[in-house]
Amino acid sequence: MQFKYQPYQYRFKQPLHTSHGVWEIRHGIIITLMDQTGKIAEGEIAPLPWFGSETVAQALEFCQQLGEIVNIDIIKTIPPEFPACRFAFESALLDLTATVTQVKTNNLNNLKYSALLPAGEKALTACGLISKTQNINTFKWKIGVYSLDTEIEILKRLIDSLPSNSQLRLDANGGLNISQAQQLLAVTDKLTGIEFIEQPLPPEHLGLIKQLTQEYSTPIALDESVANYQQLQTIYDQGWSGIFVIKAAIMGFPSQLKEFCQSRELDCVFSSVFETNIGRNAVLKLARELNHPRAVGFGLL
């Protein structure tokens, strides 16, 4: 197969504020494979190094050393320390070898989506705007950006402003300590419409997170704790039976991830790493094949 690659960068319409800091520009690489018949398929390398993937510079160096011709064996032996590359190359390969029937049945329109709300009070107006213009009733709100007392006050107002039958996901990005997590959970246990709290504590505090699931009724999801395929396996083997937030674009080979999720019937939420439509569609196809009822985290502002 002929192989080409093209780095890209785009600036977010609004900078993304999380407990990791402010993210303004997404860098990545679009790859193209062409078989002997002239059929073309694209994949996207969209690293997230603070989640443990390779960097864009490392991915670019990897692409440079491949040359202009690749084959299936080369793709299947991409090292595990390049999970975003693994995802991009196999996604493109799967598209290249897909039958007409497979393409037709991979309808993404029947997936449910969640919408990402801006941090702080801006979420209040954004929520109303989204509910009026989009058919979305699941929302995700980044917390751990302002003081917890401030965010709890906004949260109560946000819950009251949500459309009926809506659900709210709170994403702390591991930015809370144990006392803050307990304070927040004590509040959310009394609120309706909270789907789950995502990664309240840093990954190294899995024991404390498990303890929180025993003490409070609000469901908890893991995100940073399962940032790569090996961590997903390890956390599952350690007995986590809650929700897994999966950023498939940095998880390695999609076929391997699909088999793991299916065989263990994981409670999954597929989430974006702010990739372009090329990577987004590859992840959504995977989510569609797994046919999980939770809304996917791709309704972005």
Side-chain angles (χ1 to χ4, degrees), residues 163-182:
S164 59
N165 301 318
S166 294
Q167 295 189 101
L168 181 64
R169 300 168 174 177
L170 304 178
D171 185 6
N173 287 121
L176 305 180
N177 58 41
I178 183 62
S179 62
Q180 289 173 323
Q182 290 170 330

Side-chain angles (χ1 to χ4, degrees), residues 44-55:
E44 180 176 357
I45 304 172
L48 210 59
W50 55 91
F51 263 72
S53 81
E54 70 271 46
T55 64

Side-chain angles (χ1 to χ4, degrees), residues 264-281:
R264 291 153 181 83
E265 299 182 344
L266 299 189
D267 188 352
C268 296
V269 174
F270 281 84
S271 184
S272 172
V273 294
F274 300 91
E275 55 279 276
T276 71
N277 282 338
I278 293 170
R280 170 191 171 103
N281 287 337

Side-chain angles (χ1 to χ4, degrees), residues 222 225-238 240 244-246 251 256-257 260-261 264 266 268:
L222 297 183
S225 292
V226 289
N228 59 51
Y229 183 73
Q230 183 178 7
Q231 289 174 344
L232 179 66
Q233 290 178 303
T234 300
I235 295 296
Y236 175 82
D237 290 340
Q238 290 176 349
W240 178 257
F244 296 82
V245 177
I246 294 178
M251 276 279 189
Q256 188 179 49
L257 178 60
F260 187 86
C261 293
R264 291 153 181 83
L266 299 189
C268 296

